[in-house]
């Protein structure tokens, strides 16, 4: 048997069908090297390749442009990035993989960016009458406010942005938030009005919105259709002309900004970096300003568009570094990396991770705890911004208390657990961090309501809860309904104006707790799906908060404890006990379900006991005989109640948590 046949047979036995066999016929006979190349890519990942044509020393800072694309969800950011990569020859046209820079399945399904990606492009442009080669670094940033800090660090490595706006939908909430991020970073902003091929496109209206909202010159807006390619030839020349080169100093000591990182099973942690000053070579010793740990540079290169070894990175360039880090927790976004032999001033803006939403994760089947533990460990290898601690619940057993950057981050984490690791989990109602102050002056930070004492020895004198500044853009006919919704959620109106004759712009300060569960769904429902919503973190504010416990026969159910504003406590308590009554099966003894604030019961439901008809054999006779039988049964029920325990089926618990999410 030839080597070629043996190789093909081995691949088929592994359950892998090579791409050249998947069509069912061969257009040409593959050679052994092509099979081995396919095998390496399939089984061992995309290893860095050397490109002898890439000489980064030919690109001083004045021939480099670093830029990002920012947009609201589904305004065509990823499609535009694909077209730019095709125009520069970085990827083949019709490569068969739309949204090339979105590597995760959840990113492609939702049309969002979760992990920052970089791509280096080479483009020849006629500048001042001479053909000049330029190095263009596209830094693809997350667009959602949950990843606000990651976006700010990615934009710190850029000198300009393409602000993409849908020609039909116009300016949306995330458009506003992203514009101000770029504006505050003092970046050059190039407005791009995309999807002009749509029948409902109205570029003139969008130009007027850009002028009214952001004071951007309508004549400088580029009209494009990333889908058809119309107008794309003007984008890269505008990037080169309007965006300034990076300002770093080649002669200064090395300073690199860490943009993001991911874990590779064979190479360890791969970091995306931007070189601000100096140069980096393979074999250099580097240190982290945030952790103080030192590493040796094992590999360095650019993303063109995959890992491409260059052995060196110069001032103003963006690429990757492999340094032997064992965990992404060592690679902190916004960190400054520098030569160990030098002492430098770290780049400004670094912040530790701040978790805004907390939720308990438990295996749907209690015996799957180890499998869930393994899945979370694997997933946190590529997402160091999640905090994980083990916890135990009397109702749900062993599980984890996880901290997330925000609601979308939590949702994406749950979806990746299910899609990438096949985990089936029960998640508790999300909570936010609170601060409680006692009469003795001590303060306690609460992330899990169950650990807050129901009857503390000291009296609570003050409570604080986190707030957000919410931006809402809606059709003008829904203004009244949205004002009512925000008032019900304890919102404070900060700004109210009209973008044009059809749409209104509103800004509210809202408690984070009021939007963590169903605010967005209700907003979309009220406005028939036309509202756009975004928020940014704000300060803590004083509030009248209480802990509501759910008791079953006097025993608290820790997983259902919640911290609620006093004005809503009775209503929420009543709803919870009514729902719990529907889900708990009747027992041989009476079950009392209560909602309580401390020792005060605010709502109660009773599930009567199943009982045998002990009077069935009495066909008359003295009433005392019947009373004696009933008293005997009653005593037996009391003994059962003392020793019996109420079992909440996990399926019922899951349904209860889901339904309680839609009413909080």
């Amino acid at each position: 048997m030839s080597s070629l046949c043996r190789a093909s047979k081995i691949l088929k036995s592994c359950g892998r069908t090579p791409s050249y066999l998947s069509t069912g016929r061969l257009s040409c006979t593959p050679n052994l090297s092509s099979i081995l190349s396919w095998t390496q890519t399939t089984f061992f990942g995309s290893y860095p390749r050397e490109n002898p044509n890439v000489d980064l020393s030919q690109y001083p800072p004045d021939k480099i442009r670093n830029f990002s694309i920012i947009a609201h969800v589904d305004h065509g950011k990823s499609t535009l990035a694909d077209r730019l990569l095709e125009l520069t020859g970085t990827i083949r046209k019709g490569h068969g993989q739309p949204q090339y820079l979105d590597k995760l399945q959840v990113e492609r399904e939702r049309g969002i960016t979760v992990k920052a990606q970089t791509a280096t492009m080479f483009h020849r442009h006629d500048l001042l009458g001479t053909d000049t080669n330029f190095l263009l670094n596209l830094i693809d940033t997350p667009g959602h406010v949950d990843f606000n800090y990651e976006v700010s660090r990615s934009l710190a490595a850029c000198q300009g942005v393409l602000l993409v706006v849908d020609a039909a939908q116009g300016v949306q909430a995330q458009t506003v938030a992203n514009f101000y991020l770029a504006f505050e970073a003092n970046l050059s902003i190039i407005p791009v009005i995309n999807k002009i091929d749509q029948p409902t496109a109205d570029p003139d209206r969008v130009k007027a919105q850009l002028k009214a909202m952001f004071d951007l010159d309508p004549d400088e807006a580029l009209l494009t259709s990333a889908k058809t390619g119309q107008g794309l030839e003007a984008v890269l020349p505008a990037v080169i002309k309007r965006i300034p080169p990076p300002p770093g100093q080649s002669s200064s000591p090395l300073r690199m900004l860490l943009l993001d990182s991911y874990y590779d099973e064979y190479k360890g942690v791969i970091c995306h970096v931007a070189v601000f000053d100096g140069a980096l070579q393979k074999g250099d010793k580097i240190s982290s300003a945030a952790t103080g740990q030192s590493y040796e540079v094992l590999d360095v290169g650019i993303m063109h568009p995959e890992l491409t070894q260059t052995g060196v990175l110069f001032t103003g360039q963006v690429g990757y570094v492999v340094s032997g880090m064992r965990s992404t927790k060592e690679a902190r976004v916004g960190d400054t990396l520098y030569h160990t032999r030098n002492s430098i001033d770290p780049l400004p803006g670094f912040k530790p991770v701040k978790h805004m939403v907390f939720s308990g994760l438990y295996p749907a089947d209690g015996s799957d705890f180890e499998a869930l533990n393994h899945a979370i460990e694997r997933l946190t290898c590529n997402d160091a911004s999640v905090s994980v601690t083990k916890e135990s619940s009397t109702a749900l057993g062993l599980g984890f208390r996880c901290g997330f950057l925000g609601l979308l981050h939590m949702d994406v984490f749950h979806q990746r657990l299910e899609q990438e690791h096949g985990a089936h989990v029960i998640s508790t109602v999300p909570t936010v961090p609170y601060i409680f102050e006692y009469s003795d002056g001590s303060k306690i930070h609460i992330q899990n309501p169950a650990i807050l004492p129901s009857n503390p020895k000291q009296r609570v004198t003050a409570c604080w809860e986190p707030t957000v500044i919410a931006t809402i853009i809606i059709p003008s006919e829904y203004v009244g309904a949205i004002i009512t919704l925000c008032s019900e959620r304890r919102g404070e109106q900060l700004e109210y104006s009209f973008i044009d004759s059809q749409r209104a712009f509103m800004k509210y300060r809202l408690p984070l707790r009021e939007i963590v569960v169903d605010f967005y769904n209700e907003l979309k429902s009220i406005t028939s799906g036309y509202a756009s919503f975004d928020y940014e973190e704000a300060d803590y504010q004083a509030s009248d908060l209480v802990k509501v416990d759910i008791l079953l026969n006097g025993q608290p159910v820790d997983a259902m404890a919640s911290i609620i504003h006093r004005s809503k406590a009775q209503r929420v308590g009543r709803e919870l006990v009514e729902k719990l009554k529907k889900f708990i099966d009747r027992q041989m003894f009476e079950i009392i379900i209560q909602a309580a604030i401390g020792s005060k019961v605010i709502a109660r439901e009773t599930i009567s006991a199943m009982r045998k008809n002990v009077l069935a054999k009495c066909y008359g006779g003295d009433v005392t005989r019947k009373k004696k039988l009933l008293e005997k049964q009653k005593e037996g029920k009391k003994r059962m109640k003392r020793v019996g325990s109420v079992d909440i089926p996990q399926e019922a618990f899951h349904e209860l948590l889901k339904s309680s999410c839609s009413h909080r």
Side-chain angles (χ1 to χ4, degrees), residues 141-396:
T141 67
H144 197 271
V145 67
D146 285 5
F147 310 101
N148 195 25
Y149 171 65
E150 286 80 353
V151 174
S152 70
R153 294 303 85 212
S154 296
L155 293 182
C158 300
Q159 285 72 51
V161 297
L162 299 178
L163 179 66
V164 178
V165 185
D166 190 307
Q169 296 182 26
V171 173
Q172 300 288 323
Q174 278 179 248
T175 314
V176 177
N178 289 328
F179 168 82
Y180 283 110
L181 275 177
F183 182 76
E184 288 165 7
N186 201 25
L187 303 182
S188 299
I189 299 172
I190 302 174
V192 177
I193 300 176
N194 194 27
K195 301 187 181 182
I196 59 172
D197 58 308
Q198 289 188 342
T200 55
D202 189 352
D204 292 333
R205 180 175 64 88
V206 178
K207 285 182 181 180
Q209 290 176 1
L210 292 172
K211 176 65 176 175
M213 294 285 291
F214 311 131
D215 198 27
L216 293 175
D217 187 350
D219 296 332
E220 293 186 353
L222 305 178
L223 303 181
T224 66
S225 170
K227 183 178 178 181
T228 65
Q230 183 181 350
L232 292 181
E233 66 281 352
V235 175
L236 291 177
V239 167
I240 292 170
K241 289 177 183 176
R242 298 196 211 174
I243 296 178
Q249 299 293 323
S250 304
S251 57
S252 299
L254 173 70
R255 290 197 304 172
M256 293 189 301
L257 179 68
L258 200 158
L259 303 175
D260 209 337
S261 64
Y262 65 94
Y263 184 80
D264 181 90
E265 291 186 0
Y266 301 96
K267 300 184 75 65
V269 177
I270 298 177
C271 302
H272 294 282
V273 297
V275 180
F276 273 58
D277 297 310
L280 176 72
Q281 291 187 347
K282 184 176 179 179
D284 286 355
K285 300 280 189 182
I286 59 173
S287 295
S288 160
T291 65
Q293 297 188 42
S294 298
Y295 309 94
E296 181 181 350
V297 177
L298 306 175
D299 189 18
V300 61
I302 58 174
M303 304 295 290
H304 183 59
E306 302 299 332
L307 303 176
T308 304
Q309 292 177 344
T310 60
V312 65
L313 283 176
F314 295 102
T315 303
Q317 296 174 358
V318 177
Y320 74 89
V321 172
V322 179
S323 59
M325 291 183 184
R326 294 179 178 272
S327 166
T328 51
K329 294 190 183 299
E330 298 176 44
R332 302 185 181 179
V333 174
D335 190 8
T336 302
L337 303 176
Y338 62 96
H339 279 141
T340 305
R341 63 179 180 269
N342 297 328
S343 59
I344 52 99
D345 293 326
L347 296 165
F350 174 74
K351 296 178 185 175
V353 173
K354 185 175 182 182
H355 300 109
M356 295 302 295
V357 175
F358 294 85
S359 177
L361 290 181
Y362 297 87
D365 185 344
S367 61
D368 291 340
F369 175 76
E370 287 302 326
L372 178 60
N373 186 23
H374 181 66
I376 289 177
E377 284 180 357
R378 291 285 302 275
L379 192 50
T380 50
C381 280
N382 279 316
D383 192 353
S385 55
V386 179
S387 71
V388 180
T389 55
K390 291 183 181 179
E391 71 174 8
S392 176
S393 163
T394 54
L396 296 171

Side-chain angles (χ1 to χ4, degrees), residues 70-76 143 163-180 195 205-206 209-210 213-214 471-475 499-500 502-506 520 523-524 527 529-535:
I70 56 178
H72 188 77
V73 174
D74 204 30
H75 278 205
L163 179 66
V164 178
V165 185
D166 190 307
Q169 296 182 26
V171 173
Q172 300 288 323
Q174 278 179 248
T175 314
V176 177
N178 289 328
F179 168 82
Y180 283 110
K195 301 187 181 182
R205 180 175 64 88
V206 178
Q209 290 176 1
L210 292 172
M213 294 285 291
F214 311 131
T471 300
I472 304 170
I473 295 179
I474 51 171
I499 299 174
D500 52 31
Q502 298 176 343
R503 294 197 304 159
F505 172 85
M506 306 175 79
Y520 184 64
L523 180 72
K524 284 287 189 182
T527 61
Y530 287 111
S532 67
F533 171 72
D534 199 11
Y535 64 89

Side-chain angles (χ1 to χ4, degrees), residues 6 420 427 449 457 460 543:
R6 279 198 299 270
E420 299 176 21
S427 58
K457 296 178 182 178
V460 174
S543 187

Side-chain angles (χ1 to χ4, degrees), residues 29-103:
T29 304
N31 56 31
L32 184 59
S33 63
S34 67
I35 295 181
L36 294 177
S37 173
W38 182 89
T39 307
Q40 181 183 21
T41 304
T42 304
F43 288 99
F44 304 107
S46 176
Y47 272 85
R49 64 182 192 276
E50 292 190 25
N51 191 337
N53 299 322
V54 177
D55 181 7
L56 296 184
S57 62
Q58 297 179 5
Y59 299 94
D62 63 315
K63 293 184 180 179
I64 298 173
R65 299 292 185 270
N66 297 328
F67 69 100
S68 179
I69 304 175
I70 56 178
H72 188 77
V73 174
D74 204 30
H75 278 205
K77 180 180 79 163
S78 296
T79 309
L80 179 60
D82 284 355
R83 298 294 88 80
L84 296 182
L85 292 172
E86 290 174 1
L87 280 174
T88 55
T90 309
I91 59 176
R92 294 193 318 276
K93 192 169 184 179
H95 49 76
Q97 180 176 299
Q99 302 171 357
Y100 189 86
L101 294 179
D102 292 341
K103 307 292 186 185

